[in-house]
Amino acid sequence: MHDFPVEALRSVELGVPDIGASVEFYTKTWGLQVVQQDADKVFLAGSGDDFHILELKQSTRAELRKVTFRARSREDLLKLHSLCEEAGATVLRAPQALTAPSGGFGFVIREPQGCVLEFVHGDLRRQPSHTPLVPVRLAHVNINSAEIEALSDFYRNSLGFRLTDRSRMMAFLCCNQDHHSVVLAEAPVNGLNHIAFQMPDLESVMRGSGRVVDAGYPIGWGVGRHGPGDNVFAYFVDPHGVVIEYTAEVLQVDESYRVGGPQDWVWPPGRTDQWGIAPPKSEACKKAQQAVGFSAP
Ligand SMILES: [Fe+2]
């Protein structure tokens, strides 16, 4: 198996202008639960063993404040820190014991294209609740990049990710057996494209989608089955314009996986998923996938 210093995507932090509305949506509709609440921050967990998978922080606008990865060991974490510095990332917090409720040891950088990344080791874990029909953990983040090859180089050379597929518009990167934990999308401006939450199975994607639709949030794209990664998907736009995805059944890969190129991922005209049943993506979803930026330096 490829030697990955990062073992998992753990959590994301979003800034939101109305934290109460976001907490209401992510608990009652999306299926997460509040595990800790500070003055201006709320930590939400899925049904898996991560202490939290989403942090919400009161902010003036919707923004991606941070993506957190778990390093395999403290030694790997320190090595990652050196490699990030060498690659020109800005160190926002040097390696140290973390004061967040999830604890552990870690550091924070801003990568050269502006996204804040945190790396942790030894963070607290929860007893999985195995609640049906709700997200278990994060599946992937999809980051817009105006210079996708440079960002792909950073993820591969400095963070130890491996490329699994390159479609015409996207680069798929893995750090464990999941076909992708990070996806980079070609875009005019750097920012957040969407956040995907891992559901227990296909049935949960379907029933979960029904719950979200019932709450007044239409499906923006899906339900369908993606090409690269083979995962089923349903996309929504949250109350603050952040695009979120329910997904399941992502392809499990090892180093025998043949890296695909743009020529491998061509659909017949009008088709946007493997099944051929997903209606075209809504204009609102397309627009939202380009509208959420990173927190300002
Ligand atoms: Fe996705």
Side-chain angles (χ1 to χ4, degrees):
M1 194 65 197
H2 185 91
D3 196 36
F4 293 114
V6 169
E7 64 179 18
L9 166 68
R10 188 199 66 182
S11 57
V12 292
E13 180 183 340
L14 292 175
V16 292
D18 181 349
I19 196 166
S22 273
V23 171
E24 169 106 358
F25 172 80
Y26 281 102
T27 53
K28 297 202 171 122
T29 302
W30 198 246
L32 307 184
Q33 61 177 115
V34 173
V35 286
Q36 179 102 14
Q37 204 153 353
D38 297 343
D40 64 345
K41 220 173 202 191
V42 179
F43 298 82
L44 299 121
S47 67
D49 72 352
D50 295 310
F51 181 85
H52 67 278
I53 60 175
L54 178 65
E55 287 173 57
L56 298 171
K57 187 178 165 64
Q58 187 65 45
S59 178
T60 51
R61 60 175 191 140
E63 60 189 9
L64 178 63
R65 295 181 53 83
K66 189 175 68 186
V67 177
T68 300
F69 297 101
R70 185 177 291 118
R72 186 177 49 181
S73 67
R74 186 184 280 228
E75 194 189 351
D76 285 315
L77 185 128
L78 295 172
K79 213 182 297 168
L80 284 164
H81 176 257
S82 308
L83 289 167
C84 286
E85 270 193 314
E86 278 169 32
T90 309
V91 177
L92 303 179
R93 188 183 296 163
Q96 59 191 268
L98 300 171
T99 54
S102 45
F105 186 83
F107 68 93
V108 182
I109 60 151
R110 190 181 287 276
E111 47 88 338
Q113 295 190 18
C115 185
V116 174
L117 305 179
E118 179 181 49
F119 299 85
V120 303
H121 178 70
D123 56 324
L124 293 176
R125 309 295 269 271
R126 313 168 67 240
Q127 195 63 34
S129 68
H130 302 295
T131 314
L133 311 179
V134 300
V136 180
R137 60 176 171 88
L138 288 190
H140 59 269
V141 286
N142 186 315
I143 300 294
N144 290 329
S145 172
E147 290 175 86
I148 187 170
E149 293 307 331
L151 193 55
S152 175
D153 285 349
F154 174 75
Y155 270 92
R156 288 183 297 108
N157 301 335
S158 303
L159 306 183
F161 281 63
R162 195 162 67 85
L163 184 77
T164 45
D165 270 296
R166 179 69 165 95
S167 65
R168 191 171 60 82
M169 294 294 286
M170 293 186 192
F172 296 79
L173 296 154
C174 73
C175 64
N176 52 39
Q177 285 102 326
D178 286 351
H179 175 273
H180 53 276
S181 294
V182 170
V183 183
L184 309 178
E186 284 193 23
V189 181
N190 299 336
L192 174 65
N193 187 293
H194 67 270
I195 303 159
F197 294 76
Q198 177 79 33
M199 291 295 254
D201 49 28
L202 168 58
E203 182 71 6
S204 303
V205 172
M206 302 302 274
R207 289 184 181 269
S209 294
R211 179 176 66 226
V212 181
V213 169
D214 283 348
Y217 298 87
I219 294 181
W221 188 31
V223 176
R225 189 181 284 280
H226 280 311
D230 201 36
N231 44 322
V232 292
F233 64 90
Y235 287 57
F236 299 89
V237 182
D238 91 349
H240 292 105
V242 177
V243 178
I244 46 178
E245 174 186 355
Y246 278 150
T247 191
E249 299 189 351
V250 69
L251 187 69
Q252 299 296 288
V253 298
D254 59 22
E255 52 230 353
S256 67
Y257 185 75
R258 187 184 72 84
V259 179
Q263 70 286 353
D264 295 308
W265 301 112
V266 181
W267 303 117
R271 176 179 279 234
T272 62
D273 85 302
Q274 284 200 59
W275 291 329
I277 60 164
K281 192 184 288 178
S282 73
E283 287 306 313
C285 185
K286 278 189 208 165
K287 210 169 140 196
Q289 282 180 289
Q290 306 282 339
V292 177
F294 303 138
S295 53

